Amino acid sequence: MKRNKAAGGAKAAAAPLPTTVTDIPEVKPGQSVALLQELHILTRDGKLNQDSRRKLKQVYHLYQFIEPLLNDVRAAKGSVSLVDHGAGKSYLGFIIYDLFFKALGDDSHIYGIETREELVARSEELARKFDFPGMSFLPLSVAESTTSDQLPEQIDIVTALHACNTATDDAIDFALKKKARHIVLVPCCQAEVASVLRKNKGSSLGKNVLTELWRHPIHTREFGSQITNVLRCLQLESHGYQVTVTELVGWEHSMKNELIVATYKNLPRRRPAERLKEVLSTIGLDEMGGRFYTGAPAGADSAAAAEAGVAP
């Protein structure tokens, strides 16, 4: 009996761990199993639990949107720079680097921006372990990164996945000032606009019937979140970007689900800038004009339209 038990134990110990994606159908071809284990997306025996499966699905779905943008920049410039704001444990950055950047052999680079220094240190350690020389991690807020001399003056692609509250707006500000070609945002936990709506509600109730949209507290929160993203889209359009808004993944996976993708096309700016100001004025958010600033100085549309080949 002891011999049989030992034999059974030896057999179990000899069972191979998965080393390729063919053993794990949820993992993309070319993805490092060891990296996913270090990121704790895969367990040590190569399994996915429910939470990590959801997380991996989200990142992969986002990668489907980002990969064409990476190819677009490389075709135009030969290399690509990407900044990931609110990087956290840098799931997105590491998976993008593993699937796309590591095979390039050029000076393409990913910068992870994260305020928590322990996460920055851990990401730096992983980048060294997997020999990812084109990855850097900076312990900065999004706002601080905009003026940091540790980042290039121009960045090709800016991502902000679940950057909470005003961090998404700071990421937009960063992207505009860095003249990003593409911007990919999954906004999260917007509260600033709702707080201004709440503050001004008393003085607005008798003036505008639209105030009924946010008269009740739960509607204030929901409407504030919705209008925040509307304002962000108008802001990007007022700077010449073409904006697409879609769903990241099914609602069963995440309630923070709105995906905003903006590509610079040098489009006419005047009309979206006017609409942005009209929305701010109509719902009593004029004081937020500094946050949602436009990019349409007087007379700008004629030059922009001529360059883009469209009518203002």
Side-chain angles (χ1 to χ4, degrees), residues 69-70 73-74 77-84 101 104 106-111 134 151-159 178 180-182:
L69 311 183
L70 295 167
V73 173
R74 284 203 75 228
K77 296 180 55 181
S79 63
V80 55
S81 58
L82 182 149
V83 168
D84 181 29
F101 280 70
L104 299 182
D106 56 26
D107 60 352
S108 294
H109 206 95
I110 292 179
Y111 300 87
L151 288 160
E153 291 185 5
Q154 197 272 328
I155 293 293
D156 298 313
I157 300 175
V158 173
T159 65
K178 295 291 187 179
R181 187 183 184 98
H182 301 288

Side-chain angles (χ1 to χ4, degrees), residues 276-287:
L276 173 56
K277 291 176 181 177
E278 288 172 12
V279 171
L280 289 172
S281 176
T282 299
I283 61 178
L285 293 173
D286 290 300
E287 66 194 78

Side-chain angles (χ1 to χ4, degrees), residues 56-90:
L56 188 63
K57 181 175 181 178
Q58 265 199 345
V59 175
Y60 277 169
H61 194 67
L62 189 57
Y63 179 73
Q64 290 178 0
F65 288 93
I66 295 174
E67 185 181 21
L69 311 183
L70 295 167
N71 284 318
D72 173 66
V73 173
R74 284 203 75 228
K77 296 180 55 181
S79 63
V80 55
S81 58
L82 182 149
V83 168
D84 181 29
H85 284 297
K89 296 179 180 178
S90 293

Side-chain angles (χ1 to χ4, degrees), residues 120-169:
V120 171
R122 172 60 176 158
S123 294
E124 289 175 335
E125 178 187 339
L126 276 185
R128 287 191 297 268
K129 179 173 182 176
F130 286 92
D131 192 22
F132 290 172
M135 293 194 82
S136 300
F137 302 91
L138 301 174
L140 301 170
S141 68
V142 182
E144 290 168 342
S145 70
T146 305
T147 56
S148 172
D149 60 6
Q150 299 179 73
L151 288 160
E153 291 185 5
Q154 197 272 328
I155 293 293
D156 298 313
I157 300 175
V158 173
T159 65
L161 179 62
H162 295 163
C164 282
N165 201 16
T166 59
T168 297
D169 300 304

Side-chain angles (χ1 to χ4, degrees), residues 132-311:
F132 290 172
M135 293 194 82
S136 300
F137 302 91
L138 301 174
L140 301 170
S141 68
V142 182
E144 290 168 342
S145 70
T146 305
T147 56
S148 172
D149 60 6
Q150 299 179 73
L151 288 160
E153 291 185 5
Q154 197 272 328
I155 293 293
D156 298 313
I157 300 175
V158 173
T159 65
L161 179 62
H162 295 163
C164 282
N165 201 16
T166 59
T168 297
D169 300 304
D170 291 338
I172 291 173
D173 180 57
F174 174 95
L176 295 176
K177 289 176 178 172
K178 295 291 187 179
K179 297 179 172 57
R181 187 183 184 98
H182 301 288
I183 307 168
V184 181
L185 308 168
V186 180
C188 181
C189 307
Q190 298 95 287
E192 186 182 31
V193 168
S195 69
V196 176
L197 289 172
R198 192 176 299 110
K199 181 185 71 173
N200 296 337
K201 189 184 302 183
S203 60
S204 302
L205 276 172
K207 299 178 182 178
N208 190 338
V209 68
L210 290 179
T211 309
E212 294 295 333
L213 293 174
W214 64 93
R215 177 159 61 93
H216 298 286
I218 187 172
H219 295 157
T220 303
R221 184 180 71 244
E222 293 173 355
F223 180 76
S225 178
Q226 175 78 1
I227 201 66
T228 298
N229 288 339
V230 171
L231 292 168
R232 287 164 175 164
C233 292
L234 286 170
Q235 180 185 19
L236 289 165
E237 289 172 344
S238 81
H239 285 264
Y241 285 82
Q242 182 182 76
V243 177
T244 301
V245 184
T246 188
E247 183 179 85
L248 178 57
V249 291
W251 287 108
E252 72 275 14
H253 295 285
S254 176
M255 292 300 290
K256 306 294 187 298
N257 199 44
E258 190 166 333
L259 173 65
I260 300 172
V261 180
T263 295
Y264 185 70
K265 298 285 189 179
N266 204 15
L267 297 176
R269 296 153 167 75
R270 185 181 63 238
R271 185 57 174 159
E274 290 172 350
R275 298 298 280 176
L276 173 56
K277 291 176 181 177
E278 288 172 12
V279 171
L280 289 172
S281 176
T282 299
I283 61 178
L285 293 173
D286 290 300
E287 66 194 78
M288 302 202 70
R291 167 73 67 183
F292 301 103
Y293 62 89
T294 67
D301 273 359
S302 297
E307 185 174 341
V310 296

